Amino acid sequence: MPPLADRLLPGRPDPLGASWDGLGVNFALFSAHAERVELCLFDAAGRREVARLDLPECTDEVFHGYLPEARPGLIYGYRVHGPYRPEQGHRFNPNKLLLDPYAKQLHGTLRWTDALYGFRGPRGDLGFDRRDSAAAMPKGVVTDDAFNWGDDRPPNVPWDKTFIYETHLRGLSVLRDDLAPRERGTFAALADPRVIEHLQKLGVTAVELLPVHAFAQDRFLVEKGLRNYWGYSTLSFFAPEPRYLSQGSLDEIRVAIRRLHAAGMEVILDVVYNHTCEASETGPTLSWRGIDNSSYYRLIPGEERRNIDETGCGNTVNITHPRVLQMVMDSLRYWATSFRVDGFRFDLGSALGREAHGFDPGSGFFDAIRQDPVLSRLKLISEPWDIGPGGYQLGNHPPGFSEWNDRFRDDVRRFWRGDSGLRPGLAARLAGSSELFDRRRRRPWASINFVAAHDGFTLHDLVSFSTKDNLRNGENNRDGHDDNHSNNWGEEGPTGDPVVLARRERIKRAMLMTLLGSHGTPMLLGGDEFGRTQGGNNNAYCQDNDISWLDWGDGPGGSGSADGIALSHFIARASAARRAHPTLRSASFLHGQDEPLPDIPDVSWFDEGGEPLTPEGWHDPQGRLLVLRRAARTDAGVEVSLLLLNGGAEDRAVTLPLPALPWISVLDSAEPLAEERVVQTAIEALPRHSARLLVAIVAQEDQA
């Protein structure tokens, strides 16, 4: 690189961040309350500061300057001058090197030291610290985002045909010994044909990755010898986590996405815009806090020294500020255009939709995304809760968003555990939770259905542990949910009892069949396809080890075990059945008002005697068997399906509604290896804890 100028030209206030134009780099940083901003340049190792240059202009609260001859690879950070008045919300301290909020790549890692904090001394956060933090800080890197996408085309899988696989990028492949050691746990592994083939066999259409934005290893975890595994502690909204790049190139992400697209799979990123890693007012000064604390964070009115915490992480990002909202939107568009991701899952989405009066489906955040010509066309998923007042907002998000449905999770778990009075709840979940989502012309896909997710028990642990075991998290088992609607089915944890093991496997298959037989969008937790266990840990956020990683071996809970192979095969069959049979994945809510065949409505509910459920039957607390009949017009005629579910502890005989139809038994959770067969009788024996799918096709000529 040629020698750099000893001062900056005025440059432009947009775009924000460091932008290379082929001849130099423009730097632009928003701060409404700063008095002066210095650009700090570092040597190639990122250790020695080689220049400190004032951004010479400020336009519309954006400090900016242009550095001729600068090129991609330049390492930089900022020092921001302004008032240090915590009681007024201002925490400027130029002794702290700050990461550019728009940095697209990071150099170095965060090294915990007291110098990272803006305060010091007996006055707590009212004190002022003069130690330089640069040696402990990661720095930004100027990038060139050019990439040859060739003939890449986003799969654009319709929502009603979407099957999501939620996984952790590192945990997915770190134990795969058929990959090069350097590639394990990175985007390079995600791009490997063997990993993609596994997902294809399951019938997955979308991979949802836990946060891949750069994140901090929280100090309290480091001091306990633990690590932030999940990544919900954002350090940068634009830069990827450096550990996830096997060779340090951003193109590794693009290659992975291009290969997944070629295989017909979409990529959804779990993103965390509700809080950052700077924690509460007593947290470190790494970026936003030192750039403009009172703009980037929500502060308690009249007590601006303190952060509003509606996330449980110490701070809440101030999405209502136009420049902060711009940062979030710019980040989303960057990932959508530069990396071509297909969607986003918003962590604590209720926090993003909060206005001064509380959660608002017409908030600036939702409105900005819904009108955006790029983002509005992507798959948008919200986690519809936070810990603030009125924070539980399931079903209340605006059109265009789908939502994680914890009601589905809980009702399905409780039904298959054998709880009483679950017929109405289960029926609602099978029907796409229409009582929650059938408003404002939303569709069943608005409900993201899941039995297990990264937060909570795995599917295997759900049937193996009655109580959580989070002792290895170092919080005396106080963390994580206590009521998981789980059951060990005879013995807590691992067992060699074949009866208990067989029961557990049967119930897992029944729950998976319910998941893939329900209207809405199914989501499978990575590793559940072969019985991954976390040893009863239902909050493994800090376990970057074999507790959380997917096991590709042939031991218990591994992909190569007999049970693992069998369960993966069963899921593949269930997802194939979902693709093949429209009645399992309707694009519209069904209310029994349409009749694809005379006197056969699009949805009906029956008891074990083949009779329509009466009000008394619906509310019978001992009713643990349910028959769902659905009908839909297809090109071949009318498809009619029966989903038989027996959540009780006894085998039951079920009289089939419309026994004269040519029923085919497509899938049976009690006999997972059974091939499709013609049903010869009007009464089916339905074993305990099992589900069965029957399908009949009435041809056009037979409808006359």
Side-chain angles (χ1 to χ4, degrees):
M1 178 177 291
L4 298 175
D6 58 1
R7 66 183 181 88
L8 299 174
L9 301 179
R12 296 176 53 84
D14 63 273
L16 292 168
S19 307
W20 181 57
D21 64 6
L23 299 176
V25 176
N26 191 81
F27 295 89
L29 180 74
F30 158 74
S31 179
H33 300 98
E35 298 168 352
R36 176 181 162 215
V37 174
E38 294 177 299
L39 172 68
C40 302
L41 306 180
F42 291 83
D43 64 9
R47 296 173 184 167
R48 183 170 62 90
E49 187 176 324
V50 296
R52 191 177 297 189
L53 310 172
D54 276 31
L55 294 183
E57 297 286 344
C58 185
T59 305
D60 296 334
E61 301 179 332
V62 175
F63 290 81
H64 53 91
Y66 181 85
L67 185 59
E69 304 299 333
R71 296 178 181 175
L74 181 68
I75 299 172
Y76 72 102
Y78 289 116
R79 298 181 188 274
V80 181
H81 298 254
Y84 190 84
R85 301 191 188 102
E87 66 279 1
Q88 297 176 15
H90 301 311
R91 296 179 178 272
F92 296 98
N93 187 336
N95 299 292
K96 309 306 166 185
L97 185 77
L98 304 175
L99 185 65
D100 181 1
Y102 278 70
K104 296 182 173 66
Q105 190 167 10
L106 302 189
H107 179 91
T109 58
L110 188 68
R111 182 174 59 82
W112 283 108
T113 168
D114 289 345
L116 292 171
Y117 296 78
F119 57 88
R120 185 183 190 184
R123 299 181 66 207
D125 65 309
L126 294 176
F128 187 80
D129 186 79
R130 299 185 182 279
R131 290 171 293 184
D132 194 315
S133 67
M137 277 292 296
K139 286 85 177 175
V141 181
V142 177
T143 63
D144 174 13
D145 291 327
F147 180 73
N148 185 352
W149 284 95
D151 60 354
D152 174 77
R153 288 179 176 81
N156 291 323
V157 179
W159 267 109
D160 63 301
K161 296 181 180 178
T162 296
F163 179 20
I164 298 173
Y165 183 88
E166 189 206 26
T167 191
H168 189 283
L169 179 69
R170 174 170 164 79
L172 173 66
S173 61
V174 70
L175 290 181
R176 287 202 64 134
D177 57 12
D178 56 346
L179 301 178
R182 184 176 62 183
E183 295 182 350
R184 298 171 194 169
T186 70
F187 276 99
L190 183 64
D192 190 275
R194 289 161 290 192
V195 174
I196 292 175
E197 181 184 16
H198 172 75
L199 300 172
Q200 286 180 307
K201 286 180 178 179
L202 293 174
V204 167
T205 70
V207 179
E208 182 176 307
L209 298 174
L210 267 67
V212 299
H213 289 170
F215 57 91
Q217 292 297 330
D218 306 88
R219 189 172 192 173
F220 77 95
L221 291 177
V222 173
E223 291 174 348
K224 290 195 295 185
L226 299 169
R227 294 186 63 83
N228 183 329
Y229 175 65
W230 287 351
Y232 292 94
S233 193
T234 305
L235 179 62
S236 173
F237 294 123
F238 291 81
E241 170 59 28
R243 291 195 307 157
Y244 295 165
L245 304 174
S246 67
Q247 300 186 55
S249 171
L250 299 181
D251 286 348
E252 189 175 310
I253 304 174
R254 300 180 176 102
V255 169
I257 292 174
R258 183 174 174 181
R259 286 185 178 173
L260 285 163
H261 283 178
M265 279 180 275
E266 298 176 312
V267 177
I268 298 170
L269 299 185
D270 191 337
V271 288
V272 189
Y273 295 109
N274 59 81
H275 73 279
T276 77
C277 65
E278 290 185 308
S280 72
E281 60 273 4
T282 59
T285 296
L286 309 175
S287 180
W288 308 273
R289 174 164 288 137
I291 294 169
D292 194 351
N293 182 66
S294 64
S295 292
Y296 279 108
Y297 293 117
R298 295 182 62 203
L299 307 178
I300 297 176
E303 198 179 351
E304 284 78 7
R305 176 183 172 185
R306 304 192 184 282
N307 289 83
I308 291 174
D309 181 12
E310 293 172 336
T311 65
C313 300
N315 63 57
T316 305
V317 173
N318 185 17
I319 297 292
T320 61
H321 191 292
R323 285 294 190 181
V324 180
L325 178 59
Q326 177 189 353
M327 176 189 68
V328 172
M329 296 295 292
D330 287 348
S331 168
L332 290 168
R333 275 191 295 267
Y334 173 65
W335 287 94
T337 57
S338 186
F339 295 96
R340 299 195 181 184
V341 302
D342 305 280
F344 300 96
R345 181 265 188 188
F346 297 95
D347 179 63
L348 299 186
S350 295
L352 302 177
R354 281 187 180 274
E355 297 287 339
H357 56 276
F359 177 82
D360 185 351
S363 70
F365 169 75
F366 290 130
D367 287 350
I369 288 183
R370 292 178 65 204
Q371 64 78 41
D372 188 279
V374 174
L375 302 177
S376 62
R377 291 177 169 85
L378 303 183
K379 287 186 166 67
L380 304 171
I381 303 169
S382 178
E383 182 183 38
W385 48 77
D386 64 17
I387 66 169
Y392 187 77
Q393 294 294 333
L394 178 65
N396 294 329
H397 283 57
F401 280 77
S402 58
E403 305 172 39
W404 270 29
N405 189 349
D406 63 331
R407 292 279 296 278
F408 183 96
R409 175 198 65 196
D410 293 347
D411 285 346
V412 171
R413 289 182 176 189
R414 293 181 61 205
F415 177 84
W416 289 112
R417 189 174 64 172
D419 289 12
S420 62
L422 262 295
R423 268 179 175 169
L426 182 68
R429 306 313 141 227
L430 290 164
S433 299
S434 60
E435 86 283 11
L436 297 170
F437 298 105
D438 190 8
R439 61 188 70 168
R440 301 185 68 183
R441 302 289 182 173
R442 299 177 78 183
R443 298 297 187 99
W445 54 257
S447 175
I448 302 296
N449 300 333
F450 62 100
V451 177
H454 71 273
D455 186 2
F457 276 149
T458 65
L459 178 66
H460 182 80
D461 288 356
L462 188 62
V463 298
S464 303
F465 294 87
S466 294
T467 58
K468 67 183 183 184
D469 182 4
N470 296 352
L471 287 173
R472 287 179 63 176
N473 292 357
E475 300 179 41
N476 295 320
N477 214 31
R478 293 189 301 267
D479 61 307
H481 292 293
D482 291 315
D483 189 4
N484 299 280
H485 310 303
S486 63
N487 192 342
N488 63 30
W489 295 104
E491 189 172 340
E492 188 75 357
T495 180
D497 187 328
V499 175
V500 173
L501 291 172
R503 187 181 299 129
R504 289 175 176 177
E505 293 302 312
R506 174 182 290 190
I507 294 169
K508 283 195 288 186
R509 292 191 296 267
M511 286 194 284
L512 289 166
M513 215 169 140
T514 307
L515 173 69
L516 287 160
S518 295
H519 289 178
T521 305
M523 183 182 79
L524 179 72
L525 174 62
D528 277 356
E529 69 269 30
F530 43 76
R532 181 175 74 89
T533 178
Q534 292 180 169
N537 192 320
N538 72 350
N539 188 34
Y541 76 102
C542 57
Q543 299 296 335
D544 189 1
N545 50 49
D546 57 3
I547 289 178
S548 300
W549 301 338
L550 274 64
D551 181 0
W552 296 96
D554 55 9
S559 67
S561 66
D563 286 341
I565 293 170
L567 192 58
S568 293
H569 178 69
F570 183 78
I571 292 174
R573 289 189 62 192
S575 65
R578 183 180 177 87
R579 292 192 302 274
H581 300 295
T583 54
L584 305 186
R585 49 176 176 79
S586 174
S588 301
F589 288 107
L590 307 182
H591 297 289
Q593 298 172 349
D594 183 32
E595 292 189 355
L597 288 172
D599 300 321
I600 300 181
D602 49 18
V603 61
S604 307
W605 307 90
F606 301 88
D607 61 18
E608 57 269 32
E611 297 296 326
L613 273 170
T614 64
E616 294 77 17
W618 277 117
H619 298 291
D620 177 5
Q622 303 309 314
R624 292 183 172 84
L625 188 143
L626 187 63
V627 177
L628 165 59
R629 187 182 71 194
R630 291 175 286 201
R633 298 177 183 87
T634 69
D635 293 340
V638 173
E639 176 182 286
V640 185
S641 67
L642 291 176
L643 189 60
L644 318 177
L645 305 109
N646 181 8
E650 303 293 334
D651 298 350
R652 302 295 293 273
V654 179
T655 301
L656 301 182
L658 301 174
L661 289 185
W663 294 109
I664 301 293
S665 179
V666 174
L667 198 62
D668 187 342
S669 67
E671 297 184 46
L673 300 179
E675 298 296 329
E676 293 189 2
R677 62 175 176 83
V678 176
V679 176
Q680 303 286 0
T681 66
I683 299 178
E684 283 278 276
L686 188 62
R688 71 198 74 175
H689 310 306
S690 72
R692 186 174 301 160
L693 173 65
L694 308 181
V695 175
I697 303 295
V698 181
Q700 298 283 359
E701 57 271 19
D702 296 333
Q703 298 178 36

